[in-house]
Structures are given as structure tokens and as C-alpha cells.
Amino acid sequence: MASKKPLAAIRGFAMSDLSRQYIGPGWQLAVTAIHRAIADAGLKKSDIDGLLINKSPVASLMDLPMDLLDYAGLKDLTLCSVVEAEGSSGVQMVQQAALAVQAGMAKAVVCVFADAPIVPGVSTQQAFGMPLPLMGKLGSEAPTGLFGPVAAYALAARRYMHKNSLTEDHLGAVAVACRQWALKNPLAMMKKPLSMEDHHNSPYVVEPFHLFDCSFPVNGAVAVVVTSAERAADGPQPAVYIHGMGQGHRGVTNRRGFENEIEIGAKLAGQGAYAMAGVGPKDIDCAQVYDAFTYCILLQLEQYGFVEPGGGGAFALAGQTAPGGSFPVNTGGGQLSGYYLQGGTPLSEGVMQARGTAGERQVKHDLVLTAAYGGRMMYHACMITSPHASL
Amino acid sequence: MYDITRIKGWPMPVLNELNQPHFDAMADGKVMVQHCPDCDTWLAPGAFLCENCGSTGVQWREACGRGEIYSYVVMNRTFDPAFEAMVPYNVCLIELAEGPRLLANVVGIANSELAIGCAVQATFEKVGEGLPLLKFKPG
Ligand SMILES: [Zn+2]
């Protein structure tokens, strides 16, 4: 492994309360998480000179406005921006904060994701159920009745399953593993054990996806404070050092010869992060990835190089991603059984694992890969972190 | 996200020069897609330029209407009243013989019989209050 200085580090981390009920607008949850993260970092509001905001792409700007700085009482910022790369923004914010810190544009940047999709009278299915241009440029989703990300991802999953001869058992294994992790996580929303039978018996939402192939949206917020590695080492909490970062964006090409369902930008993102950190997939101890749907974990395992192409299904079915398995994935229950806060979900668990504060679910964490995607897996960002200032 | 509208009571994208010829041609029973004359690449509608060679000389051209199922789903819930009576209904990604892929409903086959690779051909059905819509049927 290389021995390079880290790019930057996460010094503070916190979340708002999480709820399946309405507990206030996104901006209010964001302010709570920001203030808690600043306190967690052992800093004062006046120490913060950067703010990066990630709102859900389906939320209104009113829910998490650009002038969040005023709501949070932050003054004299030298960096303030909304990061918009859909679900990958959660990780991209931290990347941009690290770059800003390295360049001397800011000393302490707070990055926040907040969302409040669950409001009285609107189901989460309705909140996320609009036609999304996830299949290309034309917009044939509406006339054919393909609504929401569940449908777009189910279409991708079917192609991937066909290509690799996978069954619903392979998807179910992912859901079961995530639930096993969630049972060890006090923050997780899903508290009941889940068997393969429970998964198969749950109703279809969009075939081939059963209910338990889909994540559970919550209202909540996640915030981190990014500083230089040196400043993070002075904090009251264990520093989470950032050694490598990458992005990969491939768009969608809907014609013969292109299989966006199987070849995604995660590979590009991973290659960049591994090269920057001077490590490879075999060095990583655990992965926290965006798992809005079960299929997504299987494909990311392959694209980030943890298994060979097409090997994700067998790996999950053998229990390798579950507690006790050879490669822990989404150790907090992920979005499937923990909480769906878009890129904030892998980010939060990645920080807790790298800090060594994950309690009963703590795994070996010398190197943690944290990854997030957006759109129909069109935008990817990842980072490699550790509790060690040098690798 | 993009804006959707209703035409004859049916949910539709807002039409513009990049998609209108595709939908207009449905009234004549034609599958109109785009084609790049510079590199002979067929493109799904909505292309501003050729994604193969970058040419902006993309033209509308009629496809033969035959293809196969590239992937498919069955919607067991819907969020739009237009589809309520159809649940559970399929949405398929059809790979045309020329290469581009289109989203469409496949008719004349039970959802349980759908399969990737299944040969299909274009057919047209009125939806809503008489809007012709491209669908596919086995064959
Ligand atoms: Zn061309």
C-alpha cells in the first residue's frame, strides 16, 4: 500500500431524529443535524466557513433552500453551494469539501443531506411515484405507465438477472442480509427478522421486485464536518481519514451493444478511488453502498471489484455480505432495512464504522468503501476512508 | 423529472421537436425513430445528436416495427388513474431490429408468458379518449 497523506478527514458527524412520521420540514431536520455535527466535532458555529447542501432531487427547493446558512446561523462562509448529482451527492459533497479544504478555500466545511418525503396525506409511494426519465431521453415512461424508480430499477434488475441466471432467491438473500444487520442497529427502522420466505411472500410492487426489494424512506438528516487531516486529529472524536475519491458517470444509451443495467459508472468511480488511495478491492474490509433496491448491491459488488462480474448473486446467497460473512456490506441495514436517506445512508454508516463506534455491528474497519449513486445508477461517487492517518 | 401532460385523457410527455414526430406517426401506424445518415446509426427518439459519431444531422426515419423484448416488468400498482383498470400491466423495453430500444406495453400475451428475447412486432391501439399509441404484440 502507498503511504500518502490523506486528502482530508471527517471530524464531526451527526444525524437528526429519524422517523416514518412527519417531524418537520427538511430544513429543520438539516439545522438539527448541522448543529449536532458541529458540536460532535468540538467546534463552534463560528468555526464553520463552508456549507454544502444536498437536497433530494424529488423534494422542493423550499424544503431545503439555498439560504439554509441563515436558518442554521452560519456567518462569514467562504464556501456555500448546493451539490446536485442526485443520490451520489451525499458522497460528492464530502469529496468537494475535501477538495476545498485541500485548496485552502475553507477550513471546516459542514455537508448536509436532509429529506422529509413523508408528509400527512401523501404516501411515500406517491412521493416517489412520478414518471422519471430514467430510461433515456424520450419520455415514454408516462404513456406506457412506467412510474417511479421502483419500476425503472425493476426493468434493469430483470435484464441483469436474465444475463446472470439469477432468481428471486438472490435478491432475497440481499434483503435478508440487510435485515440481519439492521437488527443490530438501534437507528434502523426495520426491527423484525426477515426470512427468505417472508421476502418471497411479500407482495410484488413491480415484478421482479417484491416489497422487501425496496428501501424504506424516512424523514431525517445527516451532517458531517470535513476539515484537514491535521485539524481532524485534534477533535474529540476519532478522525475518519479520506484516502481516495472517485466518480463515474456514463449516462444511459438505449441501443444495441450497450447494457446500462450491467455496466455502470461505479467501475470508473472505484478505479479512480483505488488509484488515488493506492489500494485495491482486496484491501477493503467492508462496503457501505447505496441500496435503494436489492439488485443494486449485487451489481455494485461486481463493479467495485469485490467479486468477479456476474458473481454478486452467488456471493450474497452464500451469506458473504451478512453478519459473519467474509465481506460485510451495509452493516447498518442499508436503505433496505435501515433508513433511506439517499447518499446520507452509506455516508452515515461509513463514518460510524470507520470511527469504530458501530457497537454490536462493528466490523473490521481499517479500510471502508463508501459509495452512492443517483438517477437510474447513472451518477456514481465513492470514497475510501480509514481511522489511520496513513495507509 | 420532466413535465407530463394529458392528451385525450392520457398521460404523455410534453411534445417538442425531439419527440413529436414519434408520437404523431402513431396515428399513421408507423414507428418513427431517428437515424444518423453520417454513420448509419439508428437512435431512440429524443436524440439531439448522434450518440455514435456526434453528428447533429440526425433525421427522422421509419423503422420496420419488428424487434424483441430486451427487458420487462409487471406493474402491480399504479399512480395514475389512466392505468388503474389495467393493473397488473406490463411495461417492456423493446429492442427494435434496427437497434434502438423503446418502452412499450406488449399486448396479446399473458404477463406470465413474457420473456427476454421474445420476438414482437408493432401494433397500434387507441388509449384514453382515442389517442393512438404504439404497442407491440408477439410475432
Ligand atoms: Zn452518427
Side-chain angles (χ1 to χ4, degrees):
Chain A
M1 288 194 220
S3 68
K4 284 189 296 190
K5 282 176 66 179
L7 303 158
I10 295 169
R11 173 181 165 125
F13 157 73
M15 298 169 75
S16 71
D17 294 347
L18 306 180
S19 179
R20 298 274 289 160
Q21 306 291 325
Y22 187 71
I23 50 170
W27 63 264
Q28 219 169 67
L29 304 174
V31 168
T32 301
I34 288 170
H35 289 169
R36 287 179 185 175
I38 295 170
D40 179 80
L43 298 174
K44 302 183 298 294
K45 271 190 288 187
S46 55
D47 295 320
I48 301 297
D49 53 6
L51 172 65
L52 295 176
I53 303 166
N54 167 208
K55 83 167 186 66
S56 165
V58 299
S60 94
L61 195 57
M62 294 295 289
D63 202 49
L64 197 57
M66 183 73 200
D67 58 357
L68 186 65
L69 75 169
D70 280 337
Y71 292 81
L74 301 174
K75 300 287 177 196
D76 302 318
L77 301 184
T78 57
L79 176 78
C80 182
S81 184
V82 173
V83 177
E84 174 52 296
E86 303 210 1
S88 67
S89 315
V91 171
Q92 289 200 24
M93 277 193 301
V94 179
Q95 295 182 347
Q96 293 190 20
L99 296 174
V101 163
Q102 271 210 326
M105 259 193 89
K107 292 188 180 65
V109 182
V110 58
C111 306
V112 67
F113 170 85
D115 196 19
I118 304 164
V119 298
V122 178
S123 75
T124 56
Q125 286 168 21
Q126 286 170 318
F128 290 94
M130 73 281 288
L132 298 162
L134 292 172
M135 296 313 307
K137 306 174 194 75
L138 170 64
S140 273
E141 293 85 358
T144 58
L146 190 87
F147 295 111
V150 185
Y153 274 91
L155 202 54
R158 177 86 73 185
R159 181 73 192 178
Y160 170 81
M161 291 166 74
H162 170 79
K163 191 93 176 179
N164 295 306
S165 303
L166 301 188
T167 68
E168 290 181 2
D169 281 359
H170 296 97
L171 302 184
V174 172
V176 168
C178 284
R179 186 63 59 91
Q180 288 172 347
W181 285 116
L183 297 178
K184 299 169 180 288
N185 182 1
L187 291 171
M189 291 288 139
M190 298 297 137
K191 303 291 190 194
K192 276 194 271 182
L194 181 81
S195 67
M196 185 69 91
E197 199 179 15
D198 295 334
H199 168 272
H200 290 1
N201 287 340
S202 69
Y204 281 118
V205 180
V206 181
E207 284 180 54
F209 283 163
H210 288 272
L211 180 65
F212 290 126
D213 288 303
C214 310
S215 52
F216 287 86
V218 299
N219 294 337
V222 180
V224 296
V225 178
V226 176
T227 68
S228 68
E230 293 74 20
R231 280 172 61 92
D234 284 345
Q237 300 290 341
V240 177
Y241 296 99
I242 302 166
H243 302 279
M245 316 190 295
Q247 295 186 15
H249 314 288
R250 285 170 53 88
V252 169
T253 301
N254 266 324
R255 64 189 167 96
R256 189 174 301 134
F258 295 87
E259 291 194 271
N260 316 295
E261 299 78 12
I262 289 146
E263 288 290 332
I264 56 172
K267 188 182 252 174
L268 205 54
Q271 285 166 349
Y274 291 135
M276 197 181 289
V279 302
K282 291 207 162 28
D283 302 312
I284 304 292
D285 297 306
C286 70
Q288 312 300 336
V289 305
Y290 202 109
D291 60 342
F293 304 100
T294 46
Y295 142 73
C296 305
I297 288 191
L298 300 180
L299 184 52
Q300 286 175 96
L301 282 171
E302 299 169 19
Q303 297 276 292
Y304 285 111
F306 302 122
V307 299
E308 72 281 8
F315 193 74
L317 195 56
Q320 304 294 7
T321 66
S326 61
F327 188 70
V329 178
N330 291 4
T331 49
Q335 298 164 334
L336 290 164
S337 273
Y339 42 85
Y340 177 70
L341 289 174
Q342 302 188 15
T345 304
L347 176 61
S348 58
E349 184 65 14
V351 171
M352 286 185 269
Q353 283 291 345
R355 279 183 168 188
T357 56
E360 198 196 332
R361 64 188 195 281
Q362 182 68 49
V363 296
K364 185 167 182 286
H365 60 285
D366 290 317
L367 271 182
V368 178
L369 180 117
T370 302
Y373 62 73
R376 204 204 76 182
M377 286 206 269
M378 289 181 278
Y379 318 109
H380 291 263
C382 72
M383 61 182 181
I384 295 167
T385 62
S386 89
H388 309 298
S390 67
L391 295 182
Chain B
M1 263 148 293
Y2 61 91
D3 291 333
I4 68 165
T5 183
R6 270 176 207 272
I7 300 177
K8 297 193 175 180
W10 200 254
M12 290 281 285
V14 173
L15 299 181
N16 58 38
E17 67 275 16
L18 296 182
N19 60 14
Q20 184 146 16
H22 174 72
F23 288 102
D24 282 354
M26 293 179 188
D28 304 323
K30 290 181 175 176
V31 182
M32 291 297 283
V33 294
Q34 288 166 297
H35 177 258
C36 173
D38 295 320
C39 72
D40 194 25
T41 297
W42 290 77
L43 303 157
F48 173 68
L49 48 71
C50 172
E51 59 190 34
N52 183 47
C53 76
S55 166
T56 52
V58 170
Q59 295 171 356
W60 287 95
R61 198 163 156 187
E62 187 180 355
C64 72
R66 287 190 305 278
E68 64 176 51
I69 296 177
Y70 174 82
S71 192
Y72 64 97
V73 296
V74 177
M75 304 288 296
N76 281 265
R77 300 175 189 185
T78 187
F79 304 95
D80 191 295
F83 294 92
E84 259 161 30
M86 292 165 57
V87 172
Y89 61 93
N90 70 68
V91 182
C92 301
L93 196 54
I94 305 299
E95 188 168 283
L96 297 175
E98 292 84 357
R101 296 183 198 131
L102 302 177
L103 276 182
N105 310 114
V106 171
V107 298
I109 184 173
N111 289 335
S112 58
E113 300 296 315
L114 293 167
I116 287 174
C118 176
V120 292
Q121 56 183 312
T123 184
F124 296 84
E125 283 187 3
K126 299 265 172 68
V127 294
E129 296 147 23
L131 180 74
L133 188 68
L134 169 64
K135 304 209 172 194
F136 285 83
K137 62 182 181 187

